[in-house]
Amino acid sequence: MKTKLSRIALAAFVSFNVFNSAFAAEDTIKVGIMHSLSGTMAISEASLKDEMLMLIEEQNKKGGLLGKKIEAVVVDPASDWPLFAEKSRELLTKDKVSAVFGCWTSVSRKAVLPVFEELNGLLFYPVQYEGEESSRNIIYTGAAPNQQSIPAIDYLMNDIGVKRWVLAGTDYVFPRTANKIIEAYLKQHGVASEDIMINYTPFGHSDWQSIVSEIKSFGSSGKKTAVVSTLNGDANVPFYKELANQGISASDIPVMAFSVGEEELSGIDTAPLEGHLAAWNYFQSVESSENADFIEKFRKFTKNPNRVTNDPMEAHYIGFNLWVKAVEKAGTTDVDKVLDTIVGIKTNNLTGGTAEVLPNHHITKPVLIGEIQSDGQFQVVWETDKEVKGDAWSDYLEGSKDLISDWTAPIKCGNYNVKTKKCLGSQSN
């Protein structure tokens, strides 16, 4: 009898736990984290995974979202662009995530964009990019060109007196499109073609000796020369080392980087690189109560007092908080309802200002220029007086200057021509 009762009790216990496990599984909101944890981009992207796990843990300690626990689903696309698309499809169809926070390179974003549009997913993209794109299914929390590259060129031109320009980039869509805009901007400001040198190298490029020699020769004409760098990933480490090896200092030929932050500099000896520049919308060194609190929490979460923070991490911080506010306002994680709600949502950034989602699915951001210090941090040397509205389409390219993006009624279009009053549809994305 005792055995029979024990079996009944065990069966009831198992049934109870199966029921509760199922209930618990249904009572979570799944969020995808899609960053390269291996391959050439891991040096930049791995920290974003750690940060997202921290933000989700913090939100769960506050009670979760809509009374439910947020469950992180982490995938590693391994710096493999087609794999980004494959992982996106898995997250949206198999894991059924409510939103994805991910990608770094534009080639990875371009790979996943059709998947998010086909399956009506929601991607928060945290890195500065080249513009010339606006998707209903992407919230761009990194900088558009008018929030990074154009202000940086103005700084070099007006404050440093640069007359000759080296546009050095990794060979993919972001550097090529960004340099196309920069070249057009320079020529519209009177810079001759012979004063512009453009060079592309593959991901992971490591032999910089001959290229740096060419840059050194190009800069020896007597005109002030600067390098505008759109190099991405671990190729930056040997590039900066070769600059130092060939005795090129920031006072000789300054480098203005668009993809080098505190994380990349933490892997190299930065003493010889003092004075080189980067343009971002956030630096770890910015003094604000929100930033101090964020840095302390991140180091505590990772159990490493030496971990650094950077601009794309701030973009994820902003993006996650915007998504939480939009879901709370909509009362649901349904993508259509969240997208109907998210325009106009505001949240604090980490530099003491406010980020607001604009109708073009970009956000407001301040622009900062910082000098590399010997400790791998940046000293801010220039910043905008207020946040700048992100512009999806360049004012300096034919075919783009008449386009706007507005995902609110009545336009609801990512590439609306203000002269013809027509939406170009997917052909321009």
Side-chain angles (χ1 to χ4, degrees):
M1 185 65 180
K2 184 177 179 180
T3 301
K4 185 178 180 180
L5 287 175
S6 297
R7 287 174 181 168
I8 293 172
L10 177 61
F13 175 79
V14 170
S15 175
F16 173 81
N17 280 282
V18 166
F19 172 81
N20 275 329
S21 296
F23 179 78
E26 292 175 357
D27 205 34
T28 64
I29 294 174
K30 290 184 178 180
V31 169
I33 302 174
M34 184 172 61
H35 285 295
S36 295
L37 308 179
S38 55
T40 188
M41 291 307 301
I43 184 176
S44 298
E45 294 193 62
S47 60
L48 299 184
K49 180 266 295 181
D50 295 337
E51 180 211 9
M52 282 304 304
L53 291 176
M54 178 192 76
L55 293 174
I56 289 171
E57 181 182 276
E58 280 191 339
Q59 188 64 33
N60 283 333
K61 287 180 179 176
K62 296 176 188 174
L65 187 57
L66 303 179
K68 299 179 180 180
K69 181 181 178 182
I70 302 176
E71 178 184 350
V73 182
V74 179
V75 295
D76 174 18
S79 308
D80 180 335
W81 321 133
L83 193 55
F84 269 88
E86 185 178 323
K87 293 295 183 185
S88 295
R89 190 170 292 278
E90 285 181 10
L91 286 171
L92 294 173
T93 59
K94 179 182 174 184
D95 299 301
K96 299 188 183 305
V97 298
S98 298
V100 176
F101 294 78
C103 297
W104 181 292
T105 66
S106 286
V107 66
S108 65
R109 188 193 69 257
K110 291 286 188 185
V112 307
L113 186 149
V115 178
F116 278 84
E117 291 187 340
E118 174 195 340
L119 301 173
N120 198 27
L122 178 56
L123 172 68
F124 284 80
Y125 178 64
V127 184
Q128 39 60 264
Y129 84 120
E130 67 281 3
E132 305 303 292
E133 174 188 302
S134 179
S135 172
R136 175 180 176 273
N137 297 86
I138 300 178
I139 303 298
Y140 302 82
T141 55
N146 72 310
Q147 295 171 310
Q148 187 193 38
S149 58
I150 297 302
I153 296 300
D154 286 340
Y155 175 80
L156 290 171
M157 192 178 288
N158 300 326
D159 291 52
I160 307 295
V162 172
K163 303 294 184 184
R164 302 201 92 193
W165 305 82
V166 179
L167 310 184
T170 303
D171 193 6
Y172 75 106
V173 61
F174 162 60
R176 285 193 174 271
T177 307
N179 285 340
K180 185 179 174 183
I181 294 170
I182 292 169
E183 185 180 13
Y185 185 77
L186 290 173
K187 289 182 175 177
Q188 288 173 32
H189 284 73
V191 178
S193 296
E194 57 265 29
D195 287 327
I196 302 172
M197 170 184 167
I198 302 176
N199 181 272
Y200 293 104
T201 47
F203 276 100
H205 188 73
S206 58
D207 183 6
W208 288 97
Q209 187 174 10
S210 60
I211 296 173
V212 170
S213 293
E214 291 176 21
I215 293 172
K216 191 173 183 178
S217 174
F218 185 78
S220 64
S221 69
K223 294 181 179 179
K224 184 65 178 177
T225 301
V227 176
V228 178
S229 170
T230 47
L231 298 171
N232 259 270
D234 52 15
N236 279 293
V237 177
F239 171 67
Y240 279 98
K241 282 184 176 178
E242 187 59 32
L243 287 175
N245 289 342
Q246 297 197 27
I248 298 176
S249 68
S251 59
D252 301 323
I253 301 176
V255 177
M256 175 71 80
F258 296 158
S259 297
V260 172
E262 294 85 346
E263 188 71 34
E264 290 78 10
L265 294 179
S266 67
I268 60 176
D269 175 15
T270 54
L273 304 180
E274 283 188 67
H276 286 300
L277 303 159
W280 290 102
N281 311 102
Y282 164 89
F283 290 111
Q284 179 180 314
S285 59
V286 169
E287 294 183 359
S288 74
S289 57
E290 291 90 348
N291 191 31
D293 182 58
F294 177 74
I295 295 169
E296 180 182 356
K297 286 179 178 176
F298 184 62
R299 288 173 171 172
K300 183 178 180 181
F301 179 80
T302 57
K303 298 181 175 60
N304 183 345
N306 298 317
R307 287 294 294 268
V308 296
T309 57
N310 61 20
D311 181 282
M313 290 176 66
E314 193 221 18
H316 261 345
Y317 171 86
I318 291 170
F320 182 74
N321 288 324
L322 289 171
W323 176 71
V324 167
K325 286 190 174 188
V327 169
E328 288 175 339
K329 186 176 180 180
T332 175
T333 57
D334 178 83
V335 170
D336 290 332
K337 292 179 180 176
V338 170
L339 287 174
D340 285 342
T341 304
I342 199 167
V343 173
I345 295 281
K346 298 178 182 178
T347 191
N348 292 338
N349 62 29
L350 293 177
T351 57
T354 302
E356 177 181 356
V357 181
L358 302 169
N360 62 9
H361 284 187
H362 292 63
I363 67 171
T364 57
K365 302 175 78 74
V367 185
L368 311 176
I369 292 175
E371 278 187 2
I372 299 174
Q373 306 297 295
S374 60
D375 61 357
Q377 291 294 311
F378 291 85
Q379 179 181 351
V380 176
V381 296
W382 182 90
E383 59 186 306
T384 49
D385 295 331
K386 59 183 180 181
E387 286 83 15
V388 177
K389 293 182 178 180
D391 188 359
W393 298 98
S394 173
D395 294 336
Y396 311 104
L397 294 179
E398 290 296 329
S400 296
K401 61 183 180 182
D402 296 327
L403 300 181
I404 65 166
S405 169
D406 186 341
W407 291 106
T408 62
I411 293 179
K412 291 189 175 182
C413 174
N415 44 28
Y416 181 79
N417 190 307
V418 295
K419 287 190 172 179
T420 64
K421 309 295 183 185
K422 291 183 179 179
C423 180
L424 300 183
S426 60
Q427 60 183 293
S428 288
N429 277 340

